């Protein structure tokens, strides 16, 4: 490789990534506590950049990154990179959804089963010396129709973990076609509106998908649904989801993501919606950890290493 090419890692990742890169001859700066402003000051010295979510690689960053050859995203969301401008700058941008798709799928299933069987509610009641059996009668997932919006890595893994539950799995993807199989049936959005008992979102956040799931979207379902969002908070208008719950269009909802996940920065209007969200016992929340397992941490690092190697050793 000649002069060692330098790679900056800006988030806490499994050590095998740094070890593998150094073994391959790269010079690696592992700085998981570095700020975005600090990265801006030093990015001109690196050929490679590995990020998670705290660093936005936009025009300013890319203009300063005179040597940059690639940006690797530890995870699936690419909204933290200006992909079009990166392409203009001949910077390869890639993500690693292969690394955490199993974790996301299992988390989604866990939250869905919790919703349908009142597990958290029942636990809280028993701890208060309340023994309510009829009030916590659940619903079986078996026999239901589960609808997936978008059919990428995470949705495919979710379909796989659902395969043992005797469910019908429908999927709609505006940009991917021809994926019907024994496991999943490709359908129109109209068919999903008509048949779904469970709706699970697997959308990337783009200008097109931002607040795609609003009141009009949710009102299109013919039956009340269980609702799951493991994708991005801003594909959903939370206020409209709460309205749909109040009106019985949504039975209950599981959210691993929120519109604004920096809770200390909520505006007065955002706080009003958030307070309503956490007050509703039909909503189950987790702090964006669907893909955040010990196993996925290693798999993401392995995927990053493999993809970086392919750039330099195709």
């Amino acid at each position: 490789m000649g002069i060692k090419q330098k790679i900056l890692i800006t988030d806490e990742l499994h050590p095998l990534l740094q070890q593998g890169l150094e073994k391959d001859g790269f010079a690696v700066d592992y700085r998981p506590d570095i700020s975005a402003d600090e990265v801006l000051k030093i990015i001109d010295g690196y050929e490679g950049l590995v990020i998670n979510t705290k660093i936005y690689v936009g025009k300013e960053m890319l203009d300063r990154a005179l040597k940059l050859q690639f940006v690797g995203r530890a995870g699936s969301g690419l909204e933290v990179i200006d992909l079009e401008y990166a392409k203009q700058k001949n910077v390869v941008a890639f993500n690693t959804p292969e690394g955490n798709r199993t974790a996301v799928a299992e988390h989604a299933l866990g939250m869905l089963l919790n919703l349908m069987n009142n597990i958290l509610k029942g636990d809280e009641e028993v701890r208060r010396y309340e023994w309510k059996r009829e009030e916590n009668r659940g619903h079986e997932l078996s026999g239901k129709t589960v609808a997936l919006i978008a059919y990428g890595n995470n949705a495919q893994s979710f379909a796989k973990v659902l395969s043992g539950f005797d469910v019908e799995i429908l999927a709609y993807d505006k940009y991917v076609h021809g994926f019907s199989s024994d496991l999943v049936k490709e359908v129109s959005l109209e068919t999903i509106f008509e048949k779904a008992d469970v709706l699970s979102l697997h959308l990337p956040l783009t200008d097109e998908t931002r607040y795609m799931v609003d009141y009009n979207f949710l009102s299109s379902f013919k039956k009340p649904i269980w609702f799951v969002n493991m994708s991005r908070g801003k594909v959903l208008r939370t206020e409209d989801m709460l309205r749909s719950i109040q009106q019985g269009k949504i039975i209950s909802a599981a959210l691993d993501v929120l519109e604004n996940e920096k809770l200390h920065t909520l505006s007065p209007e955002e706080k009003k919606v958030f307070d309503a969200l956490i007050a509703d016992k039909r909503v189950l929340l987790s702090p964006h950890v669907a893909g955040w397992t010990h196993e996925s941490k290693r798999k993401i690092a392995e995927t990053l290493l493999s993809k970086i190697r392919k750039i330099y050793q195709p």
Side-chain angles (χ1 to χ4, degrees):
M1 195 177 291
I3 298 174
K4 283 190 177 181
Q5 298 191 339
K6 295 179 65 178
I7 297 175
L8 175 63
I9 299 175
T10 65
D11 284 88
E12 183 182 351
L13 296 175
H14 195 283
L16 75 81
L17 175 60
Q18 181 176 357
Q19 293 166 3
L21 290 171
E22 290 176 342
K23 184 177 179 180
D24 287 352
F26 293 96
V28 180
D29 283 346
Y30 181 68
R31 300 187 58 183
D33 297 323
I34 196 170
S35 69
D37 288 340
E38 290 172 323
V39 173
L40 271 176
K41 294 176 182 177
I42 63 174
I43 191 61
D44 62 331
Y46 294 90
E47 284 79 18
L49 176 64
V50 177
I51 62 170
N52 194 337
T53 57
K54 72 179 179 182
I55 307 296
Y56 177 67
V57 183
K59 186 176 186 300
E60 183 180 11
M61 181 77 71
L62 290 164
D63 283 341
R64 295 194 184 193
L66 302 179
K67 299 179 182 179
L68 197 64
Q69 297 170 352
F70 75 84
V71 180
R73 160 75 162 92
S76 57
L78 284 169
E79 69 273 9
V80 291
I81 305 171
D82 186 333
L83 296 175
E84 186 59 36
Y85 198 63
K87 185 176 180 180
Q88 292 178 31
K89 289 284 191 175
N90 294 316
V91 174
V92 176
F94 61 88
N95 57 354
T96 57
E98 305 92 338
N100 64 359
R101 59 189 176 189
T102 299
V104 172
E106 291 185 3
H107 192 91
L109 178 61
M111 292 190 85
L112 177 59
L113 292 174
N114 195 320
L115 287 184
M116 299 182 75
N117 293 282
N118 303 308
I119 295 172
L120 180 60
K121 176 176 176 291
D123 174 83
E124 291 174 343
E125 290 170 355
V126 172
R127 291 171 190 273
R128 295 196 299 266
Y129 287 76
E130 298 172 9
W131 196 260
K132 299 179 178 179
R133 298 187 69 220
E134 186 58 36
E135 294 89 339
N136 286 302
R137 188 183 291 272
H139 294 266
E140 295 178 10
L141 182 54
S142 177
K144 301 295 190 295
T145 297
V146 180
L148 314 176
I149 304 293
Y151 198 62
N153 277 279
N154 290 341
Q156 291 169 34
S157 289
F158 191 35
K160 183 178 179 181
V161 301
L162 287 168
S163 63
F165 283 85
D166 190 26
V167 295
E168 179 183 27
I169 305 174
L170 307 178
Y172 166 78
D173 195 306
K174 184 175 179 179
Y175 297 103
V176 180
H177 303 286
F179 55 78
S180 287
S181 66
D182 293 339
L183 179 61
V184 62
K185 182 179 180 182
E186 178 186 355
V187 298
S188 66
L189 200 52
E190 289 70 28
T191 299
I192 281 178
F193 289 147
E194 179 182 351
K195 294 188 174 183
D197 297 301
V198 176
L199 174 67
S200 184
L201 303 182
H202 299 273
L203 293 157
L205 181 61
T206 65
D207 290 340
E208 185 177 19
T209 64
R210 190 179 302 272
Y211 298 123
M212 169 182 162
V213 182
D214 58 10
Y215 184 74
N216 288 335
F217 185 96
L218 294 170
S219 296
S220 299
F221 287 85
K222 304 304 181 187
K223 297 183 283 185
I225 57 172
W226 286 273
F227 177 77
V228 178
N229 186 14
M230 301 288 117
S231 58
R232 287 294 180 265
K234 289 186 178 179
V235 305
L236 168 70
R237 198 171 294 280
T238 309
E239 190 172 9
D240 290 355
M241 183 202 72
L242 287 169
R243 182 182 173 191
S244 297
I245 291 174
Q246 293 297 328
Q247 295 178 352
K249 299 177 187 298
I250 294 177
I251 300 166
S252 54
L255 307 179
D256 182 54
V257 290
L258 298 176
E259 289 181 59
N260 183 356
E261 295 176 0
K262 297 178 180 178
L263 300 183
H264 63 284
T265 70
L266 296 178
S267 68
E269 183 58 35
E270 288 175 329
K271 188 176 186 305
K272 181 180 178 182
V273 174
F274 181 71
D275 287 344
L277 186 71
I278 61 177
D280 198 316
K281 295 299 184 180
R282 292 163 292 187
V283 178
L284 182 65
L285 302 167
S286 58
H288 203 151
V289 292
W292 209 251
T293 62
H294 294 284
E295 292 82 2
S296 70
K297 184 175 183 179
R298 182 181 185 91
K299 290 177 186 176
I300 286 172
E302 289 172 342
T303 305
L304 281 165
L305 182 59
S306 175
K307 292 189 175 185
I308 292 170
R309 282 172 171 168
K310 286 181 180 178
I311 291 173
Y312 294 98
Q313 302 167 6

